Amino acid sequence: MSLVYPIFLFAFLPIFLALFALGGRIGGPRGALLVLVASSLLFTASQGLGFLIATTISLAINYALLMAIIRARIGGRWGRAMLAVGIVFNLALLVLAKYSVWLQWMPGIGPLSLGLSVAIPTTLSFLTFQRSVALLDAFTACKATALGLQSPPKGERPSRADPPLRYLGFASMFPNLMIGPIAYLTEILPQIARRSFGKLRAIDISIGLTLLIVGMFKKFFLADALGEDWVDPVYLDVARTGATTSARAAGALAAYYVQLYFDFSGYSDMAIGVARMIGVRLPMNFDSPLRATGIIDFYRRWHMTLTRVISRFLFSPLSIAGTRYAARWRLKGIAAKLPSLWLPLIINFTVIGLWHGPRLTFVVFGLIHGTWYVIETEFRSARWWKKKRKTIPEWRRKLAGAIIAIPLLVLTFALFRSPTLAVFVDILQSLGSTATVPQGAVLPFDKMSVIRLVLSFAIAGLAPNVYEMLGRYRPAIRSFVNPSTTPRWFAFKWRPNIIWAGLLFALAMLAMHEMATVTPFVYQVY
C-alpha cells in the first residue's frame, strides 16, 4: 500500500481519521497516539512481512539506544559510544538490504545481503536516516528530548508508556515512513506530546486536504502522464535499439526534468498533508527548485530534508576535521581549501548519489553535482566577482544563473534516470541524430501530451508552490528560508472558501480520472 493507492485514499485514511478522533476523545493524546502507532504498524505490514520484521527490529534497537544515550548523556557516560553503535547499526542494515549487487562477492556478507534484499523489497533509506537523526538529536539535545519523551500532557499523570509510545509515533508515522520528508525528533515530539493532540480541527483538515489534492494532481495528472507519454517509451527504445530520434530524445530530457520534480514533490505534499490533518507539521521538502539560479540555490530548494541531514552527518564533521588539519599544518590557499571545503563537498554529494542506490550513474551524478558545487562556491567567493556583482542588476544575475543552471540540471536529471552510462550516452548522441522513428515506437507528440508538458513547465516556472499559497497558515516546517521566485501577478494566496474548494475539487477530479493505473513513486523504487 502507498499514499496513491485507492484503498489508502478512500478506505485506510478516512477510517484512520475517524479512529484517531475517537481515540483522542476517549483516551486523550495517548489514545490518539495509540491509534497512530497501530495504524502505522498496519501500514508497515502492508509493505511485506520482511519489511515489517526489519523495521520492528530497527525500532526496538533504536529505542533502546535512544534511552541509553539520554541516560548516559545526563549522567555523563557512554553517550558517544551508544550514538556510534546506533548509526553503524542503521547504516549497516541499509547497506546490506540495498546494496546486495555490490556485496555479493563477499563471503558470508554476500549471501546475507542478498537474502535481506529479497526479503525487504521496499527501501529502508528514509526511515534509516530519520531514526539515525533521532539518535543524534538525543545526543546533542538530550534534556529537551528526555522531556519530550517523558513529560505528561498538562493535567495528566506521568505514564511509563509515554516514552516508547511517543518514539513509536515519531519513528513509524506512516505518512513520511516510506519516502520522507525526513523529520527531526525535536521537531515532532513537542507536537505529539501536547495536550491538544488527538483533536481534529477543521482548519487542519482543510490545509491537509489541500496539500493532499495538490500532491495527487502532481503525481497522477502530471508526473505519471509525462513518464508514460514522453520519458519511458524513449528510454525503452534506447535500451533496446541504442538510438532514437533527436526530437524524441529532447522531449524525454525536458519531460523528465519536470516529471521527477512533480513525482517526488507530489509525494511530499501528500505526506505533509496527511500529517497536517492530525495536527502534525512535517518539514518542507521542496521550494520551487526548478527555478534555481545555480547548484547552491538548487540544493536549498530540492529535497531539503536530505540536504540538511547529509550536511549534519557528513559535510560538517568532514569540513571541521579538514579545517583543523589545515590549521595544524598551517596550510594556505588551495592546500587549505582542499581538505576543509572541496573534498568534503565532493564526498558529500557522492554519498547523496550513492544513497539513491547501487548504480554507477548515481555515483557520477553525485560527482558532477559536487564538482559543480565547488566551482560555484569558489566563483561566488572570488574578489573580482564580489566587486562585479554590485554593478549588475539582480534580475540579470538570476537570469544568467538560470540560463546556465537549468540545461545542466536537465542533463544530470537524464543521467539520474538512465540505468547505465551507456544508455545516457546513447540519449545524448540521439540529440544530434537524423534517424527516423523506430518501427513500432509510440510518438508522444499528440495534442494532449504537448499541452500537458507545456502546462507542467508553466506550473513549475510561474505558479506559486503550495507552501507559498498556504503561507499564512504555516503548512510545514521550513528547513531553509528562500526568497520567493513567483511573479507578483501569479502570487495566489489560499483561503478556506468556496472558490478554492471548487478549484481543488476540479484538481481532484482530474487526478482521479488518471488513477486507472497506479505507478510507484520514483523514489520508492530506489
Side-chain angles (χ1 to χ4, degrees), residues 192-211:
I192 62 179
R194 67 180 187 270
R195 182 171 176 77
S196 61
F197 184 73
K199 297 178 181 178
L200 297 183
R201 300 192 309 159
I203 189 63
D204 287 334
I205 296 293
S206 299
I207 294 170
L209 272 176
T210 299
L211 288 161

Side-chain angles (χ1 to χ4, degrees), residues 136-478:
L136 187 59
D137 279 344
F139 181 79
T140 57
C142 59
K143 292 183 179 179
T145 305
L147 288 173
L149 282 170
Q150 296 171 340
S151 60
K154 188 176 180 181
E156 296 187 16
R157 294 182 179 181
S159 171
R160 291 183 178 181
D162 283 341
L165 196 60
R166 289 175 185 172
Y167 179 76
L168 283 170
F170 160 79
S172 65
M173 188 182 298
F174 68 86
N176 67 324
L177 177 69
M178 305 303 299
I179 322 180
I182 304 168
Y184 287 171
L185 188 68
T186 49
E187 291 173 334
I188 304 302
L189 276 185
Q191 299 187 66
I192 62 179
R194 67 180 187 270
R195 182 171 176 77
S196 61
F197 184 73
K199 297 178 181 178
L200 297 183
R201 300 192 309 159
I203 189 63
D204 287 334
I205 296 293
S206 299
I207 294 170
L209 272 176
T210 299
L211 288 161
L212 180 67
I213 291 171
V214 169
M216 289 172 56
F217 176 77
K218 286 180 176 180
K219 169 63 176 172
F220 289 120
F221 189 79
L222 297 178
D224 284 357
L226 289 171
E228 182 179 350
D229 293 342
W230 292 89
V231 181
D232 297 342
V234 173
Y235 274 89
L236 184 63
D237 285 345
V238 171
R240 188 177 66 243
T241 67
T244 187
T245 66
S246 58
R248 297 179 84 236
L253 265 60
Y256 189 69
Y257 182 59
V258 283
Q259 182 202 354
L260 182 62
Y261 166 65
F262 284 126
D263 187 279
F264 194 16
S265 69
Y267 181 95
S268 294
D269 295 345
M270 294 178 74
I272 294 170
V274 171
R276 183 57 188 262
M277 289 182 190
I278 59 172
V280 174
R281 294 169 63 234
L282 292 175
M284 182 176 169
N285 219 14
F286 292 90
D287 191 4
S288 302
L290 300 193
R291 305 176 200 170
T293 57
I295 194 68
I296 295 174
D297 188 34
F298 176 75
Y299 276 102
R300 288 181 60 87
R301 298 175 180 274
W302 176 275
H303 205 346
M304 295 183 287
T305 59
L306 177 65
T307 299
R308 66 177 185 171
V309 167
I310 294 288
S311 175
R312 185 179 180 185
F313 266 110
L314 189 64
F315 172 75
S316 293
L318 287 176
S319 181
I320 291 171
T323 301
R324 288 174 178 170
Y325 175 83
R328 179 182 178 184
W329 294 99
R330 299 180 181 179
L331 303 178
K332 294 182 180 180
I334 294 176
K337 287 182 178 181
L338 188 63
S340 63
L341 181 62
W342 295 356
L343 280 178
L345 280 172
I346 296 293
I347 294 171
N348 182 83
F349 282 96
T350 303
V351 170
I352 287 178
L354 271 172
W355 176 81
H356 292 97
R359 280 189 193 173
L360 185 57
T361 51
F362 291 153
V363 177
V364 177
F365 173 87
L367 286 171
I368 291 173
H369 277 212
T371 304
W372 183 3
Y373 206 101
V374 167
I375 293 171
E376 187 172 313
T377 300
E378 291 303 308
F379 182 85
R380 286 171 177 253
S381 63
R383 290 183 180 179
W384 68 269
W385 171 246
K386 289 180 179 179
K387 293 179 181 179
K388 182 71 174 177
R389 72 190 301 271
K390 295 178 181 178
T391 65
I392 305 174
E394 183 180 6
W395 71 269
R396 287 187 180 179
R397 295 200 309 270
K398 289 184 175 180
L399 179 61
I403 290 172
I404 295 171
I406 290 175
L408 290 174
L409 287 171
V410 169
L411 290 175
T412 53
F413 273 33
L415 173 64
F416 184 89
R417 172 63 176 80
S418 301
T420 65
L421 289 176
V423 169
F424 176 65
V425 171
D426 288 339
I427 288 282
L428 295 185
Q429 289 178 340
S430 295
L431 290 173
S433 172
T434 58
T436 57
V437 179
Q439 187 175 4
V442 178
L443 281 171
F445 302 112
D446 62 89
K447 184 177 180 180
M448 188 60 205
S449 297
V450 173
I451 290 174
R452 209 181 304 247
L453 182 60
V454 172
L455 176 64
S456 297
F457 272 93
I459 292 173
L462 297 173
N465 63 59
V466 68
Y467 305 98
E468 284 187 274
M469 291 193 297
L470 292 164
R472 65 173 57 190
Y473 298 94
R474 298 192 306 151
I477 300 167
R478 278 194 171 270

